[in-house]
């Protein structure tokens, strides 16, 4: 799509933001998992074109992060300059759930929801935005990059995937050799293990810099840093060895069925 400010001079200079529940976790968590859609409303005095969707996955090593961590400048660039409906999402966070049963399953569900449910919601609401169901872009950062790539193996894969330094090739020794390049502080195991004291599966956790005045060291952050230090972050998030074959894009592409969508 072209720059909408040039094509439609009456287009408003702001994005509409609406948050939806795209799924509910099974008991005992039963938490609502949220998706926020950012888009321009229909234009005054002009027919609104069909809008493609840009589905965005945040970073955070599958342990921290939230849907609002997607940079606002990128949301505005996609929504305002290029007419996308930008969908940023929360997803179930490890280690309360495995990577396969949490983030990957949520990715499959949100991808289906964006194609089947969101177009109906936007069409019937006051903005009357029409979705181009045939055009969908997916992008992700780090952990979110792995989730973005996983959509390539779904029915009706996206027309474009943008992977910003995504996790991949998970059998590579890099993921298991101790990290000696950067000093990471140690934490008492009693403190780290408090991350498992809650029975619910979190769907968001703030990402603050250690230099932020609001930064507080929590068991979840200690767990994350410990996994970075011993390079067991991926292995600890797997339910068993077979998970590698269903979440690692490098492993999936190396099978005959892995390229069927291309």
């Amino acid at each position: 799509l072209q720059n909408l400010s040039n094509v439609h001079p009456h287009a408003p200079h702001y994005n509409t933001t609406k948050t939806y529940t795209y799924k509910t976790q099974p008991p005992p968590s039963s938490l609502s998992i949220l998706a926020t859609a950012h888009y321009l409303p229909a234009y005054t005095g002009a027919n609104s074109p069909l809008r493609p969707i840009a589905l965005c996955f945040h970073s955070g090593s599958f342990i921290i992060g939230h849907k609002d961590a997607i940079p606002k400048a990128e949301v505005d660039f996609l929504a305002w300059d290029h007419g996308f409906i930008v969908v940023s999402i929360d997803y179930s966070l490890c280690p309360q759930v495995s990577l396969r049963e949490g983030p990957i399953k949520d990715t499959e569900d949100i991808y289906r929801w964006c194609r089947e449910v969101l177009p109906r919601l936007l069409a019937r609401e006051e903005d009357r935005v029409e979705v181009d169901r045939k055009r969908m872009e997916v992008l992700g950062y780090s952990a979110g990059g792995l989730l973005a790539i996983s959509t390539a193996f779904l029915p009706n894969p996206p027309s474009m995937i943008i992977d910003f330094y995504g996790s991949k090739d998970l059998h590579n020794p890099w993921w298991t050799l101790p990290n000696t390049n950067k000093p990471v502080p140690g934490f008492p195991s009693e403190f780290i293990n408090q991350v498992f004291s809650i029975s619910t599966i979190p769907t968001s956790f703030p990402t603050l810099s250690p230099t932020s005045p609001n930064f507080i060291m929590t068991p979840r952050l200690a767990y994350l840093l410990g996994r970075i230090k011993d390079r067991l972050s991926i292995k600890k998030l797997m339910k068993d060895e077979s998970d590698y074959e269903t979440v690692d894009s490098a492993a999936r592409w190396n099978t005959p069925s892995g390229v069927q969508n291309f």
Side-chain angles (χ1 to χ4, degrees):
L1 294 178
Q2 301 178 37
N3 185 302
L4 297 182
S5 60
N6 296 327
V7 176
H8 295 283
H10 300 293
H13 289 255
Y14 59 87
N15 293 332
T16 295
T17 300
K18 292 187 177 179
T19 298
Y20 306 91
T21 295
Y22 72 89
K23 69 179 290 186
T24 301
Q25 290 175 344
S29 290
S30 302
L31 293 177
S32 296
I33 311 183
L34 305 179
T36 296
H38 312 262
Y39 57 92
L40 287 175
Y43 315 123
T44 302
N47 292 326
S48 179
L50 294 178
R51 313 281 187 87
I53 291 175
L55 175 59
C56 305
F57 296 95
H58 66 76
S59 61
S61 298
F62 309 105
I63 296 171
I64 63 174
H66 54 91
K67 60 183 177 59
D68 298 325
I70 305 300
K72 184 180 184 300
E74 297 184 17
V75 172
D76 290 343
F77 174 78
L78 290 168
W80 168 242
D81 290 342
H82 296 284
F84 281 91
I85 299 164
V86 182
V87 181
S88 57
I89 74 155
D90 288 330
Y91 50 83
S92 301
L93 297 176
C94 306
Q96 275 76 12
V97 66
S98 72
L99 175 53
R100 167 66 238 174
E101 295 173 348
I104 291 289
K105 182 63 171 65
D106 290 348
T107 296
E108 296 168 355
D109 291 337
I110 186 61
Y111 189 81
R112 187 182 310 109
W113 184 87
C114 283
R115 283 194 174 277
E116 299 175 2
V117 179
L118 183 59
R120 298 198 301 268
L121 294 175
L122 295 179
R124 74 188 185 199
E125 293 181 355
E126 64 271 17
D127 294 320
R128 299 178 183 271
V129 171
E130 298 293 331
V131 176
D132 187 346
R133 298 170 185 256
K134 296 181 180 180
R135 296 180 58 198
M136 190 160 170
E137 173 189 298
V138 180
L139 60 126
Y141 309 79
S142 190
L146 182 149
L147 301 180
I149 294 174
S150 73
T151 63
F153 304 94
L154 298 177
N156 302 309
S159 54
M160 180 184 297
I161 296 175
I162 302 177
D163 165 25
F164 292 99
Y165 46 89
S167 307
K168 58 183 70 70
D169 193 17
L170 304 182
H171 277 299
N172 189 293
W174 186 91
W175 292 101
T176 55
L177 294 176
N179 186 351
T180 59
N181 296 325
K182 296 181 179 180
V184 179
F187 301 94
S189 59
E190 295 82 3
F191 181 65
I192 294 176
N193 289 335
Q194 290 178 31
V195 73
F196 297 104
S197 63
I198 60 172
S199 59
T200 57
I201 303 171
T203 61
S204 67
F205 190 87
T207 51
L208 296 174
S209 167
T211 59
S212 169
N214 297 321
F215 180 82
I216 299 175
M217 180 54 67
T218 66
R220 179 166 292 272
L221 290 175
Y223 179 90
L224 170 60
L225 292 174
R227 300 292 73 77
I228 292 174
K229 182 177 183 179
D230 59 24
R231 284 270 174 83
L232 292 176
S233 58
I234 293 295
K235 186 174 182 180
K236 290 287 186 179
L237 306 185
M238 299 293 185
K239 185 176 182 179
D240 53 51
E241 189 68 20
S242 65
D243 275 7
Y244 281 92
E245 308 308 316
T246 59
V247 304
D248 183 11
S249 58
R252 299 175 77 178
W253 263 310
N254 284 332
T255 64
S257 61
V259 295
Q260 61 184 340
N261 290 325
F262 300 91

